[in-house]
Amino acid sequence: MQTVNRLDELHPAVDSLRQRGDVALVPTMGALHPGHLTLVREAKARAGAVVVSIFVNPTQFGPNEDLAAYPRQLAEDTRLLEAEGVDLLWAPSVEEVYPEGFATHISVAGLSETLCGAFRPGHFDGVATVVAKLFNHVRPDLAVFGEKDWQQLAVIRRMARDLDLTHPRTARILGVPTVRELDGLAMSSRNRYLSSQDRARAGALPRLMREAIAAIVSGEAVASTLATLRSALLEAGFESVDYAELADARSLRPLTAAADAPARLFVAARIGGTRLIDNMPLAD
Ligand code: PAF
């Protein structure tokens, strides 16, 4: 595996990988866990060469968020990616991605404003902007993201279509189902912030979400089921619930009934100061 930091190294390295066929990009912020490695495997199964980017993107963190504390472990991540047979690791510096005077932001209206967007102003602008830059530099035929960040995936798909990043190089955007721990907790780099006691309690999140889904599917009213879910999360040890919403899987508009639209349950809740998010389909 080749590792590059600078853009003038990245471009010839990607050009030479193209001779092997389709190039897949797996954008990450590092602190890799088995969920990320699943994305890499999906990319490898579909493309001739795999590029992974590791960049803790400052523009997607709010002023009071965990940018400084976000786990960074480049040596360990490099070892993990090497073992997966990744072809190229791109780990740029902040100065390389955001040169002095940087002043352009991409904002995807609507999809960025609901759910997490309402609680993390500017977060999805930071994501859309950096992913557009990653796509421009690698020009992948395929890009792979986790469905755990369902809203992020929706924002990126919209941005790529609206800015024609899916043409002429395909940049097909593949969403990969969430990888979960044994108790159902969605894998996340932020899970490592949890104390062992909070980690044990956090397993209530997917369990209570599944119970809420079963209630809605069996005909319980959506509003009262979501209210029960919020209270149950607080009882289970979560200190606050940003949202627990049933929403249209594509538009992310809230649903008040389990309607014809493909619906998903979305939750963001805090435990031990750590904000966890998850989402699940109403029906598989
Ligand atoms: O999901 C992430 O790790 C990040 O939001 C992404 C897509 C790499 C953009 O910084």
Side-chain angles (χ1 to χ4, degrees), residues 27-30 36 53 55-57 60 70 123 126-127 130-131 134 145 149 152 156:
T28 81
M29 298 207 299
H36 291 114
S53 61
F55 179 63
V56 182
N57 173 36
Q60 68 188 78
Y70 198 84
H123 167 69
V127 170
V130 82
V131 172
L134 300 177
F145 297 87
D149 296 297
Q152 164 173 286
I156 290 169

Side-chain angles (χ1 to χ4, degrees), residues 231-248:
S231 326
L233 285 166
L234 298 175
E235 268 166 42
F238 283 80
E239 61 248 6
S240 60
V241 180
D242 280 358
Y243 59 79
E245 290 225 37
L246 189 70
D248 183 312

Side-chain angles (χ1 to χ4, degrees), residues 120-184:
R120 303 185 69 189
H123 167 69
F124 289 114
D125 293 2
V127 170
T129 303
V130 82
V131 172
K133 288 171 71 75
L134 300 177
F135 281 10
N136 275 337
H137 287 302
V138 176
R139 300 214 288 146
D141 301 286
L142 171 71
V144 185
F145 297 87
E147 288 186 350
K148 175 179 168 278
D149 296 297
W150 186 273
Q151 184 174 13
Q152 164 173 286
L153 189 52
V155 167
I156 290 169
R157 284 197 165 117
R158 186 74 257 165
M159 177 276 295
R161 275 181 81 179
D162 290 355
L163 298 183
D164 303 317
L165 299 185
T166 51
H167 183 79
R169 279 228 165 73
T170 329
R172 279 175 293 131
I173 295 171
L174 177 72
V176 175
T178 304
V179 179
R180 296 179 181 278
E181 305 277 0
L182 281 179
D183 64 353

Side-chain angles (χ1 to χ4, degrees), residues 53-90:
S53 61
I54 293 185
F55 179 63
V56 182
N57 173 36
T59 65
Q60 68 188 78
F61 289 79
N64 300 315
E65 294 186 351
D66 56 343
L67 173 62
Y70 198 84
R72 289 157 170 93
Q73 48 166 57
L74 191 58
E76 171 65 1
D77 289 347
T78 303
R79 194 188 62 71
L80 290 168
L81 295 175
E82 226 149 24
E84 291 297 328
V86 166
D87 301 283
L88 179 62
L89 166 59
W90 175 32

